[in-house]
Amino acid sequence: ARFYAGMAMEQAGTSLNQFVGVIEQGPAGIRLIAFFSSVGSVVVSVMAVIDIRNITQPVKYAISIYQVIFSLTSMLFEAKPEWIAKIPGLDGYQNMLIDYVKALTVVGGRGLFYGFQGLLWLSYVNPAEFLAHLPFVIEGLLLLLVGVLSGCMHFGIMPSQVTAKVRSYVPLPEAA
């Protein structure tokens, strides 16, 4: 029995290593920003779903429900794969997405997805009620930023490289 248990553990470890290699992830700082942007999107989504005024606007209400799903999906791809592998339902959902929505497995594809989510939030904004829609503006702009950063990473431009390039063009004042 111990032999078979050892073989099962070895196979599980091999499967996890193969799974981890399927999802392209960026630096930890960008992943953290993306993860918490998605957490914020879940919060704003839930606020929009429970807002009684949205019931009279079925399209906005439906978008809010979709945004909950999109945000949870984004969180799933930015979390550590080891954490997701421990939860059977999430693991199965992520595996299904990996099979059918391969664009989410690469940073560039997720960048487009973040941009799409950001634009959906900005579509909520009515300039006449700007302050009332401030959470949508903030969340939309944050997700657009994550989308741009992801797109840059996809094309090999990392935030540290951009900072170095800016510093090469704009010299910092020397200390006296």
Side-chain angles (χ1 to χ4, degrees):
R2 228 183 263 186
F3 173 74
Y4 291 113
M7 286 180 62
M9 290 301 290
E10 183 179 326
Q11 183 62 33
T14 303
S15 297
L16 179 61
N17 286 337
Q18 290 171 345
F19 173 73
V20 168
V22 169
I23 301 172
E24 179 185 22
Q25 292 188 316
I30 302 296
R31 281 188 18 228
L32 196 64
I33 292 169
F35 183 83
F36 283 108
S37 297
S38 296
V39 169
S41 188
V42 168
V43 170
V44 174
S45 301
V46 169
M47 287 172 34
V49 167
I50 62 175
D51 186 353
I52 200 85
R53 294 172 294 180
N54 284 339
I55 292 177
T56 62
Q57 300 173 342
V59 172
K60 276 191 174 182
Y61 194 76
I63 289 173
S64 299
I65 292 170
Y66 279 118
Q67 284 285 65
V68 171
I69 297 166
F70 292 165
S71 302
L72 291 172
T73 298
S74 297
M75 290 170 58
L76 194 65
F77 278 91
E78 297 302 341
K80 288 186 178 182
E82 298 87 19
W83 297 348
I84 304 303
K86 293 178 182 178
I87 304 169
L90 291 181
D91 188 41
Y93 177 61
Q94 189 176 49
N95 289 338
M96 185 264 309
L97 289 171
I98 288 170
D99 288 340
Y100 293 108
V101 192
K102 293 195 185 301
L104 292 178
T105 65
V106 293
V107 176
R110 282 197 309 280
L112 290 172
F113 189 52
Y114 286 123
F116 173 69
Q117 290 177 69
L119 289 174
L120 282 177
W121 282 130
L122 292 176
S123 74
Y124 267 63
V125 178
N126 178 355
E129 299 173 356
F130 183 77
L131 288 179
H133 293 136
L134 197 56
F136 302 119
V137 172
I138 293 169
E139 192 57 44
L141 292 175
L142 193 56
L143 285 168
L144 282 174
L145 173 66
V146 171
V148 168
L149 290 174
S150 298
C152 288
M153 285 190 302
H154 177 75
F155 290 107
I157 303 168
M158 302 303 281
S160 59
Q161 294 169 323
V162 172
T163 304
K165 189 170 187 173
V166 168
R167 285 186 180 154
S168 73
Y169 288 111
V170 182
L172 296 174
E174 294 187 28

